[in-house]
Amino acid sequence: MMPIPASWRPHLKTETTKSYFHALDEFVEAERAAHDVYPPTDQVFNALKYTPFDKVKAVILGQDPYHDTGQAHGLAFSVAPGVRPPPSLVNIFKELESDLGIPKPTTGCLIPWAKQGVLLLNAVLTVRAHEPNSHKNHGWEKFTDAVLINLNERPEPIVFVLWGGYARKKKSLISVPPHAVLESAHPSPLSVKLFRGSRPFSKINALLEKFGKEPIDWALE
């Protein structure tokens, strides 16, 4: 596995020495030897790479990387440049337009959000090609819970965005205050009717301004 990005290393060093993490590393390596696994090795920790620990202003929590060819690149809900946005991301963009009037972008790559302090973190960081949830319950959840726990210990307030039942289970890891939690249905086609009208983007920015932080520019172009 690639090393943890530098700004996160002091906070996650203990985690990477635990037996579950070594077992997880061996599991992912064995999977890569036998199957196609996404995202590529050098992109697994992209969420941590593009959003350094002390720059996190908001967290949007996903569950599992996209499992079709060329989609996943280490950021929750985002796809690699040039890849057609999957249905959940299309629904996110529709809500963005409804909420803030920002027209649907031509790219599904959310790196500009990540660089402004939006940690786009999946609970599970790898997946076998075309097999959703195939790397569930092998240790990634413990590791990403540790990411959330470390962020929760930061004194500066963070906005945690929990979409869907799976993400909402993580609410117990978050202290409110000092932090804030926004909850709603998931943007997937199965629950999008309940996601519509949740206006997460304007709500995140309102909370950031309340916390004395610069709001996010959600336009990708």
Side-chain angles (χ1 to χ4, degrees):
M1 216 177 281
M2 294 289 288
I4 307 290
S7 75
W8 291 86
R9 241 172 263 161
H11 309 282
L12 297 170
K13 190 167 65 178
T14 320
E15 256 354 81
T16 58
T17 62
K18 291 180 180 175
S19 58
Y20 88 82
F21 193 83
H22 293 302
L24 170 63
D25 193 10
E26 287 173 7
F27 166 75
V28 174
E29 290 306 309
E31 283 283 288
R32 287 196 189 279
H35 308 277
D36 288 335
V37 170
Y38 304 133
T41 302
D42 62 348
Q43 296 177 16
V44 168
F45 294 122
N46 267 358
L48 306 182
K49 171 184 155 186
Y50 285 113
T51 315
F53 180 81
D54 58 348
K55 303 288 187 208
V56 175
K57 297 196 284 192
V59 179
I60 297 179
L61 193 64
Q63 186 169 350
D64 198 41
Y66 294 126
H67 53 84
D68 284 337
T69 309
Q71 291 179 317
H73 68 134
L75 300 176
F77 298 104
S78 179
V79 284
V83 175
R84 188 175 159 199
S88 290
L89 186 53
V90 169
N91 290 333
I92 288 168
F93 288 157
K94 284 178 181 172
E95 185 61 24
L96 180 62
E97 184 164 19
S98 160
D99 186 2
L100 294 175
I102 294 171
K104 182 186 169 187
T106 57
T107 178
C109 177
L110 305 181
I111 288 173
W113 294 359
K115 286 184 171 178
Q116 292 179 78
V118 182
L119 180 68
L120 296 162
L121 182 70
N122 277 318
V124 175
L125 299 188
T126 55
V127 69
R128 192 188 291 181
H130 318 301
E131 294 186 39
N133 290 314
S134 46
H135 287 187
K136 187 180 170 186
N137 298 330
H138 285 279
W140 277 127
E141 295 91 340
K142 285 184 187 176
F143 177 77
T144 53
D145 278 0
V147 170
L148 296 175
I149 289 162
N150 273 277
L151 287 172
N152 186 60
E153 288 169 357
R154 261 184 37 179
E156 310 95 314
I158 296 168
V159 182
F160 290 86
V161 182
L162 310 179
W163 287 336
Y166 183 88
R168 289 163 107 161
K169 288 177 186 168
K170 306 292 182 182
K171 193 176 177 180
S172 61
L173 303 176
I174 302 159
S175 306
V176 181
H179 308 296
V181 170
L182 293 175
E183 297 179 73
S184 77
H186 195 278
S188 85
L190 296 173
S191 52
V192 69
K193 285 182 182 174
L194 297 170
F195 176 73
R196 280 189 204 127
S198 58
R199 306 196 64 197
F201 307 100
S202 58
K203 287 177 181 174
I204 291 168
N205 279 353
L207 285 163
L208 291 176
E209 288 179 333
K210 179 182 159 191
F211 295 155
K213 294 178 184 285
E214 191 76 21
I216 306 298
D217 176 4
W218 297 105
L220 292 168
E221 295 156 320

